[in-house]
Amino acid sequence: MNTNTPDAGALNTKLMIELVGADTGFSINGFTYARCGAPTIAITVQGVAMHGFSDAIVGGGLSTPKAQINIYGCFLGTKIDGTSLPTLGNTGAAIRVDNDNVQIGGIQPWQRNLLSGNSTGVLAGSPNSTVIVEGNLIGTDATGALAIPNGTNSNWPGLLLNANFPGLRIGCTGAGCTAPGHPSRNVISGNHNVGLGIWDGPAQGTGGIQIKGNYIGTDWSGTQPLPNGDAVGGCPTYCAGIQLTGSSSVATPASIIGGSNPGEANLIAFNNGAGIISSPQYNANGAIGASFDSIIFNNGFDGCPVLF
C-alpha cells in the first residue's frame, strides 16, 4: 500500500496483481459492474494494475437503485510498477462512470490511484451520479514527475466531465482543503491535450461542480513543469490546463474552479496552452459562474491565464 500523501510525492505502492487484456477493437472491458433492479450494493476495486482493455473499469445498469463503487490503490493504464507501457494502456477510459455513485481515490494514502496512458483517465457525466475524485495522479507515472499521457489516441482530456452536474467533485472540499498533507489533491499533469475538460452538452447545465486544491500542469511538488498539452510534434489546436466547452443552459449554482478559502485554489501552471480555455457560449451561458480563484501562471498563449 502507498504510504505517501500528495505532499510527500511519489506513490510507493507495491502491487501484486496485474490484469492484462487483449483489446482488439471489440470493446473488451476489464471490469464491468451492472445491475438489473437489484438492491443497492457496494463494490470496491482495490490494489490492481490493469491494462490492455478498452475501458478498464466501467459501470452499467439502471439509474436506481444506485451502487456505491470505490476504486482504491489501482494503477490503470500503466505497468504494475507505475511506469509506461510501449503501447496505449487502455484504449478507452481507465474509469467510465455510468449512473452510479463512485469514489475514485480518497484522503487515505493507500486509496490513491494512478490513472495514466489511456484515452482518458476518468470519463464521468450523469445527472444520476455522485462522483468524487481525490488524491490521484492523472497523466503521470508513479513518481508524479514524468508524463504518461492520457489522450494520445483521442485528444481527450486526462479527466473528462461530460456534463455539468452538482454531484461532481475534483479535489478537496471544506476542512479537507487545509488538512495536513493535502490528501485530496489530484495531480492532473502530463496529458496529451487538456488536463481537465468539462464538455457540457445541451440542457446539462445544472451546475455546481467543485474543482479545488489540485495541481494542473506541474509535478507532484508544484514547482516543476509537467505540462498538459504535448508540445513534441506540435500541440493540438486546443491545449490547456482546463477546457470548458459546450452550450448548456445557465448553471445554477455556478460551478466552482478554485475558491477564496485557504487551500481551495488550484495551481494551474506550465501548460502548453492557456491555464483555462473556455468557449464563448459556455461562458455566456453561465456554466463557469464567477469563480476563477486559482493560481494561474507560466502557461502558453503568451502567458494568457484564461482564454475565451
Side-chain angles (χ1 to χ4, degrees):
M1 296 188 301
N2 172 65
T3 59
N4 285 338
T5 66
D7 273 356
L11 296 176
N12 56 21
T13 312
K14 302 296 183 184
L15 297 180
M16 303 300 292
I17 301 173
E18 184 175 24
L19 304 179
V20 181
D23 180 36
T24 57
F26 296 100
S27 297
I28 300 173
N29 297 320
F31 177 81
T32 300
Y33 53 91
R35 296 163 294 107
C36 296
T40 301
I41 58 174
I43 299 170
T44 296
V45 181
Q46 181 177 337
V48 297
M50 298 177 66
H51 58 85
F53 298 99
S54 179
D55 298 324
I57 300 174
V58 59
L62 304 176
S63 59
T64 56
K66 300 184 192 309
Q68 175 63 49
I69 311 300
N70 306 309
I71 303 169
Y72 298 145
C74 295
F75 289 2
L76 304 181
T78 72
K79 294 180 181 178
I80 196 169
D81 62 358
T83 60
S84 62
L85 292 153
T87 58
L88 198 69
N90 295 291
T91 58
I95 302 166
R96 183 185 295 264
V97 177
D98 182 11
N99 290 321
D100 293 305
N101 298 329
V102 183
Q103 174 79 37
I104 301 170
I107 62 173
Q108 301 300 321
W110 59 268
Q111 294 175 322
R112 300 175 65 199
N113 298 293
L114 175 64
L115 311 174
S116 302
N118 311 281
S119 285
T120 184
V122 179
L123 173 58
S126 168
N128 302 307
S129 296
T130 296
V131 181
I132 298 172
V133 183
E134 54 186 353
N136 304 286
L137 299 178
I138 302 174
T140 79
D141 69 346
T143 72
L146 299 174
I148 304 180
N150 293 295
T152 55
N153 67 326
S154 62
N155 284 339
W156 285 8
L159 198 161
L160 174 54
L161 309 180
N162 202 27
N164 185 19
F165 294 115
L168 300 176
R169 171 164 63 85
I170 313 300
C172 67
T173 188
C177 291
T178 56
H182 293 97
S184 291
R185 177 191 299 141
N186 299 289
V187 177
I188 307 171
S189 301
N191 295 288
H192 178 62
N193 188 0
V194 169
L196 188 156
I198 304 175
W199 292 3
D200 198 9
Q204 292 179 320
T206 54
I209 295 175
Q210 297 184 59
I211 302 169
K212 299 180 179 182
N214 303 288
Y215 285 177
I216 302 174
T218 78
D219 72 343
W220 69 267
S221 72
T223 64
Q224 299 299 315
L226 194 59
N228 295 293
D230 182 5
V232 178
C235 190
T237 302
Y238 294 106
C239 289
I242 298 177
Q243 181 190 42
L244 310 169
T245 184
S247 57
S248 73
S249 58
V250 174
T252 304
S255 294
I256 305 298
I257 299 175
S260 57
N261 295 316
E264 290 183 341
N266 300 290
L267 175 60
I268 305 172
F270 307 120
N271 297 286
N272 291 317
I276 300 174
I277 188 168
S278 175
S279 64
Q281 66 267 39
Y282 200 96
N283 184 48
N285 287 330
I288 56 175
S291 184
F292 278 138
D293 296 323
S294 294
I295 302 167
I296 306 174
F297 67 93
N298 275 14
N299 296 287
F301 286 117
D302 297 323
C304 180
V306 182
L307 183 66
F308 297 103

